[in-house]
Amino acid sequence: MSRWRAAAFRISAAAASRNAAAESRVLSRACAKAPTVPPSPLQTLSRTFSKSAAAAAATSTATSRGPGAAASASAGPRAEVRLNSMFLSKPCSLALPPDSPLRAADPQYEGIKRFMLTLLLFYSKQSKAIRGANVVYDRITSQVDAPAIYDVFQLEKTFKTTFSLLVLHMWLVLRRLKEEGKDGVKFGQYIYEMYNHDVELRVSKAGVNLLLTKWMKELEKIFYGNIVKYDAAISPEARQDDLVNIIWRNIYAEEGSEAMDAAAAPAVQALARYTRREATCLSLTDKDAMFSGNFKFTSLLPPTPSPSPKKPAR
């Protein structure tokens, strides 16, 4: 049975009235035996998230009417997306160049300030690892929360799609860190703790405040289940279309739909190519960049040229 579904359960009919007719009792028993499938955790959270997002969008629209709204509406056309030709280039390291403004650097202090921070273990190996893990997780969420990833891969932004993309990028990073042995596994644990805290906040933001522990346990099962599937789909023994099928089921498919939608096939295949390429690119990224967070996932949209300023009329 699908991981996206909760366990099937039976709803018992109300006890038959003592004075009810025999036909009514038979019908009640038949209804009691009929199983019903509850919505999966991701379905429930997606619906709640959609309602919250719709309300926020309505509020934003009501407060953003003015000169700025007209300016944003005329921001210009989006970059053209050609899915069939994307993510076919040769993989390369994702490490940021030394002069990149996106690089994260540990703060360096001198004198009494450095002495006090040293006493407080600010420069200890564990503290440095936690700060690096925080930067790495910021790289993951920056890629997952960017509108470009939903535009390029033709995904609706719901709790399910965001969570599924978050799991996919977590797997990419944790898979790379495993290549560094025990140090990489330990560093990955710090990232996983930040992921858990972030997911808990996202679930609360989606409007689910009751039974939060139950939801987190369900999402944890989904996380580990997907990790195992991605590992199997990218292994040397896997077939070429295994990753495509896993991505379809984990990210695109609705409950109960097994066959891939022909209209969604180009986007699913593009996401599978992106996943394979990012996995290879991360393997080419050096250890220092991975442990400091000084890397960046591949940009999904080509940069749009900024319009040249109009020359003043003479």
Side-chain angles (χ1 to χ4, degrees):
M1 185 170 289
S2 171
R3 283 278 187 180
W4 300 117
R5 296 188 183 183
F9 69 99
R10 298 172 183 265
I11 300 177
S12 299
S17 176
R18 292 181 180 180
N19 298 327
E23 292 81 4
S24 178
R25 291 199 301 270
V26 171
L27 179 61
S28 297
R29 291 170 185 170
C31 292
K33 293 180 180 179
T36 59
V37 181
S40 71
L42 292 186
Q43 276 186 312
T44 303
L45 292 171
S46 291
R47 291 169 185 168
T48 311
F49 179 85
S50 298
K51 292 178 183 178
S52 302
T59 304
S60 175
T61 303
T63 57
S64 64
R65 291 176 180 174
S72 61
S74 58
R78 293 181 179 178
E80 184 180 0
V81 176
R82 297 180 179 178
L83 286 173
N84 293 331
S85 60
M86 295 182 72
F87 314 115
L88 297 174
S89 59
K90 184 179 179 180
C92 59
S93 170
L94 299 180
L96 292 169
D99 59 346
S100 172
L102 298 177
R103 287 185 67 87
D106 231 12
Q108 298 297 327
Y109 300 105
E110 300 297 335
I112 188 65
K113 202 169 196 178
R114 184 176 182 88
F115 176 72
M116 294 300 296
L117 288 174
T118 303
L119 289 180
L120 295 172
L121 303 180
F122 180 80
Y123 293 107
S124 67
K125 185 177 180 181
Q126 184 180 20
S127 294
K128 289 182 177 179
I130 292 174
R131 289 196 294 277
N134 190 44
V135 177
V136 172
Y137 191 71
D138 281 345
R139 304 292 186 197
I140 294 173
T141 54
S142 295
Q143 187 80 340
V144 169
D145 291 332
I149 199 167
Y150 301 92
D151 292 340
V152 169
F153 298 121
Q154 301 173 8
L155 287 164
E156 181 184 358
K157 189 175 177 64
T158 64
F159 184 90
K160 175 189 174 181
T161 55
T162 301
F163 175 78
S164 301
L165 290 172
L166 186 59
V167 172
L168 177 65
H169 286 79
M170 279 289 293
W171 167 73
L172 285 169
V173 170
L174 295 178
R175 177 181 178 274
R176 167 63 184 89
L177 292 173
K178 283 182 182 178
E179 298 174 8
E180 300 297 337
K182 292 182 179 179
D183 288 343
V185 173
K186 187 175 181 180
F187 186 72
Q189 185 61 37
Y190 293 135
I191 301 173
Y192 180 73
E193 290 171 4
M194 294 172 186
Y195 155 84
N196 264 333
H197 179 65
D198 180 43
V199 170
E200 187 172 337
L201 292 177
R202 290 172 187 261
V203 172
S204 297
K205 185 180 178 182
V208 178
N209 295 313
L210 296 175
L211 302 175
L212 186 59
T213 303
K214 172 192 172 185
W215 290 115
M216 291 302 295
K217 287 181 179 179
E218 292 289 345
L219 295 176
E220 185 180 22
K221 291 179 183 177
I222 294 170
F223 175 86
Y224 284 110
N226 286 1
I227 292 292
V228 172
K229 291 175 183 176
Y230 289 134
D231 278 336
I234 208 170
S235 65
E237 298 80 17
R239 295 176 298 178
Q240 186 65 29
D241 58 346
D242 281 353
L243 184 60
V244 175
N245 294 331
I246 292 299
I247 287 176
W248 161 255
R249 286 197 294 268
N250 287 353
I251 302 175
Y252 286 85
E254 297 294 334
E255 286 296 319
S257 60
E258 292 294 334
M260 187 184 304
D261 185 359
V268 179
Q269 291 166 357
L271 183 50
R273 290 197 303 274
Y274 163 82
T275 302
R276 287 188 185 278
R277 188 179 185 281
E278 293 301 279
T280 306
C281 289
L282 285 170
S283 293
L284 296 173
T285 304
D286 62 273
K287 179 179 178 179
D288 288 342
M290 291 301 305
F291 279 64
S292 63
N294 285 319
F295 68 91
K296 185 177 181 295
F297 288 101
T298 302
S299 298
L300 297 171
L301 288 175
T304 53
S306 57
S308 56
K310 295 182 179 179
K311 295 182 179 180
R314 292 182 180 179

